[in-house]
């Protein structure tokens, strides 16, 4: 669903209400990575994140990749403990994994240990704690470790000859992004297409209420085509005007994986109300939801919804109040049994179907980047593969990737974060 050609069919965009003189905004205000018209609302109700439109990276999924997933695992995740931050930890599990890794030790013991600051500095996104969720720290670390071990094992088996450890010439390193972002095990999300009428009603409600504005990611204002071919629908806060400077070192994301589009749209309706919330609405930037009105066998992305928000004021304990409140809204808004635990590598899990990370564009050392979170990590992994003609085991490949992650200014134990460049 992510590499189909765009249709030329167009649908008239819903009328947008105006109250008084419209805001004079450039006609090419950008949604997230797609140029769309700016909504003509009274006041600062236009899309505030300006990004250059970038070529879409197709998700090409190798046909011979298989995953061994334990679908009973999520039933074991019954902890309601208020999971806090993981500032330092050692990756090690009392389990026997046939993946080429040693057990009971850190998978990359040759990589320098990362130590976070013990003092409470001025709050920035890189120094605020994790959103507090439903998993205790030990469970979170183990689940993230299991997921990343599986990813490196899959990566090695796909790109390298198991007998010689040599890089296979028939494998294109550009496929790393597809391996990281597409959920090949998801057999439910696109089974029941979303009703376009319901989506249009949701879009119209935002325009009428002036609380939010919707725009497809890849198809401008052509909602019909976006739904036919599958696209992210961006839902942007139009209650608050965000300056670019406000986003520096403060932007984070929550990624949510659910089992059906109907659940995703239900959650989208509930999340849209948070834009007007007096406590955290001013820091809830936007979210996007993956929707398609036609049935397809193509694998969807892991990230069915992505929430973008800013770390708020420090309440005194470095806690992420905004992220924790949004996480609670997500958990309360998803019916029992509708959460899906599969997740892209390098995210930090805060509930069994929710992960979090910092936004590269506003936190990545070395200047701004237009990469998404997964793109930024995929480029690092791809570069390692291109520079590694021989990797004898998955562990050897993991060591090289973690070292490259460290060299890029990303703490290898917390690859969802970015190092403080100051």
């Amino acid at each position: 669903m992510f590499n189909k050609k765009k249709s030329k069919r167009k649908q008239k965009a819903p009328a947008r209400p105006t109250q008084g003189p419209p805001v004079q905004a450039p006609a090419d205000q950008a949604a997230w990575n797609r140029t769309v018209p700016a909504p003509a609302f009274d006041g600062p109700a236009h899309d505030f994140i300006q990004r250059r439109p970038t070529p879409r990276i197709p998700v090409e999924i190798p046909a011979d990749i298989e995953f061994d997933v334990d679908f009973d695992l999520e039933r074991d995740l019954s902890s309601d403990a208020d999971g806090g931050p993981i500032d330092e930890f050692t990756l090690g599990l009392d389990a026997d994994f046939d993946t080429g890794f040693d057990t009971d030790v850190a998978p990359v013991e040759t990589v320098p240990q990362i130590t976070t600051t013990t003092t409470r500095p001025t709050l920035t996104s890189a120094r605020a704690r994790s959103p507090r969720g439903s998993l205790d720290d030990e469970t979170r670390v183990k689940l993230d470790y299991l997921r990343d071990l599986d990813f490196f094992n899959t990566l090695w088996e796909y790109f390298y000859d198991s007998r010689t450890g040599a890089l296979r010439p028939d494998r294109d390193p550009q496929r790393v992004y597809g391996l990281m972002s597409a959920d090949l095990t998801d057999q439910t999300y696109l089974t029941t297409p979303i009703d376009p009428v319901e989506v249009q009603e949701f879009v119209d409600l935002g325009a009428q209420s002036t609380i939010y504005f919707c725009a497809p990611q890849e198809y401008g204002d052509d909602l019909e085509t976006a739904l036919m071919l599958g696209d992210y629908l961006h839902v942007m806060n139009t209650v608050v005007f965000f300056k670019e400077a406000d986003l520096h070192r403060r932007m984070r994301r929550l990624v949510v994986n659910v089992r059906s589009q109907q659940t995703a749209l239900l959650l989208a309706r509930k999340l849209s109300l948070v834009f007007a919330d007096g406590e955290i609405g001013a820091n809830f930037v936007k979210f996007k939801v993956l929707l398609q009105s036609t049935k397809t066998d193509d694998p969807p992305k892991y990230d069915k919804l992505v929430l973008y928000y800013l770390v708020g004021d420090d309440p005194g304990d470095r806690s992420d109040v905004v992220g924790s409140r949004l996480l609670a809204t997500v958990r309360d808004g998803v019916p029992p049994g509708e959460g899906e635990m599969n997740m892209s590598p390098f995210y930090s899990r805060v509930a069994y179907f929710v992960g979090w990370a910092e936004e590269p564009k506003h936190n990545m050392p070395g200047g701004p980047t237009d990469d998404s979170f997964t793109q930024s990590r995929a480029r690092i992994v791809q570069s390692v593969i291109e520079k590694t003609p021989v990797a004898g085991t998955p562990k050897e490949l993991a060591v090289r990737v973690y070292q490259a992650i460290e060299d890029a200014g990303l703490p290898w134990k917390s690859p969802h974060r970015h190092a403080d460049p100051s």
Side-chain angles (χ1 to χ4, degrees):
M1 67 178 292
F2 295 98
N3 56 3
K4 293 184 174 64
K5 294 182 179 180
K6 300 178 183 178
S7 169
K8 295 183 179 180
R9 296 181 62 186
K10 293 292 182 179
Q11 174 174 310
K12 185 178 180 181
R16 299 168 183 160
T18 58
Q19 301 172 359
V23 174
Q24 296 300 316
D28 61 346
Q29 290 263 7
W32 191 248
N33 63 358
R34 175 71 184 177
T35 301
V36 297
F41 291 126
D42 181 40
H46 58 78
D47 193 14
F48 41 82
I49 299 179
Q50 301 189 26
R51 302 187 62 175
R52 297 189 303 275
T54 56
R56 190 179 202 178
I57 300 179
V59 179
E60 298 181 0
I61 306 303
D64 54 348
I65 288 295
E66 296 181 358
F67 286 84
D68 183 15
V69 179
D70 182 3
F71 292 102
D72 292 329
L73 182 58
E74 70 177 58
R75 287 198 288 268
D76 297 331
L77 305 181
S78 57
S79 171
D80 287 327
D82 193 13
I86 304 177
D87 286 338
E88 299 182 53
F89 55 85
T90 299
L91 296 180
L93 294 177
D94 296 326
D96 182 17
F97 299 107
D98 185 18
T99 61
F101 289 91
D102 295 334
T103 58
D104 301 327
V105 295
V108 284
E109 54 267 47
T110 60
V111 178
Q113 299 294 300
I114 306 303
T115 303
T116 58
T117 178
T118 56
T119 60
R120 185 171 63 83
T122 303
L123 184 68
T124 66
S125 180
R127 293 167 177 169
R129 296 186 185 277
S130 302
R132 292 181 177 270
S134 60
L135 302 179
D136 61 83
D137 290 354
E138 181 181 5
T139 302
R140 290 172 55 185
V141 173
K142 287 184 176 182
L143 289 174
D144 291 344
Y145 186 30
L146 280 168
R147 177 204 57 209
D148 290 347
L149 286 182
D150 180 70
F151 167 66
F152 282 117
N153 190 63
T154 299
L155 195 71
W156 182 81
E157 288 184 341
Y158 180 71
F159 284 105
Y160 291 88
D161 188 303
S162 60
R163 295 168 299 175
T164 65
L167 184 64
R168 298 177 59 173
D170 60 331
R171 303 304 198 197
D172 185 356
Q174 292 186 356
R175 286 189 168 184
V176 167
Y177 177 76
L179 291 174
M180 291 177 62
S181 61
D183 187 357
L184 302 186
T185 68
D186 190 330
Q187 304 295 321
T188 64
Y189 191 76
L190 299 178
T191 300
T192 304
I194 197 68
D195 185 349
V197 174
E198 293 184 11
V199 179
Q200 187 66 62
E201 290 175 350
F202 175 69
V203 171
D204 292 344
L205 181 60
Q208 295 163 8
S209 67
T210 70
I211 294 176
Y212 61 89
F213 168 68
C214 298
Q217 177 168 293
E218 298 290 341
Y219 300 96
D221 60 357
D222 190 351
L223 181 62
E224 180 184 10
T225 299
L227 291 177
M228 286 176 56
L229 300 183
D231 197 4
Y232 278 112
L233 181 68
H234 285 252
V235 184
M236 296 161 279
N237 187 341
T238 55
V239 178
V240 179
F241 175 73
F242 296 86
K243 302 176 184 177
E244 186 70 19
D246 295 337
L247 313 181
H248 180 62
R249 301 296 302 280
R250 294 179 60 200
M251 181 75 84
R252 290 182 166 187
R253 63 164 54 188
L254 293 175
V255 292
V256 183
N257 195 353
V258 294
R259 296 185 175 180
S260 71
Q261 297 187 69
Q262 291 67 35
T263 295
L265 187 57
L266 172 66
L267 182 57
R269 294 190 183 102
K270 296 181 179 181
L271 287 171
S272 67
L273 301 177
V274 181
F275 291 138
D277 183 273
E279 181 181 4
I280 67 169
N283 287 310
F284 186 18
V285 179
K286 64 180 290 184
F287 67 90
K288 64 181 181 180
V289 54
L290 183 63
L291 299 172
Q292 184 161 349
S293 60
T294 56
K295 188 174 182 179
T296 176
D297 294 329
D298 292 346
K301 285 192 174 185
Y302 287 105
D303 308 340
K304 307 309 190 300
L305 295 100
V306 184
L307 286 60
Y308 303 88
Y309 70 96
L310 305 181
V311 173
D313 295 332
D314 186 355
D317 59 358
R318 294 176 56 213
S319 61
D320 184 356
V321 176
V322 181
S324 299
R325 275 282 312 277
L326 287 173
L327 177 57
T329 301
V330 170
R331 291 181 60 206
D332 294 342
V334 174
E338 281 296 306
E340 179 60 68
M341 71 166 295
N342 297 334
M343 190 177 297
S344 297
F346 305 132
Y347 279 104
S348 176
R349 195 181 299 272
V350 286
Y352 82 82
F353 61 98
V354 186
W356 86 273
E358 294 174 348
E359 272 309 295
K361 180 179 181 181
H362 304 289
N363 294 279
M364 193 87 169
T369 173
D370 282 338
D371 286 347
S372 69
F373 175 82
T374 300
Q375 286 173 345
S376 65
R377 274 63 179 169
R379 292 188 193 282
I380 296 173
V381 176
Q382 178 181 331
S383 176
V384 170
I385 291 176
E386 291 172 342
K387 298 176 182 177
T388 307
V390 178
T393 64
K395 178 182 177 181
E396 181 180 338
L397 181 60
V399 170
R400 293 178 180 271
V401 171
Y402 279 129
Q403 187 63 65
I405 286 175
E406 184 76 13
D407 293 342
L410 315 176
W412 76 265
K413 284 184 176 180
S414 302
H416 58 291
R417 288 183 177 271
H418 302 84
D420 183 2
S422 61

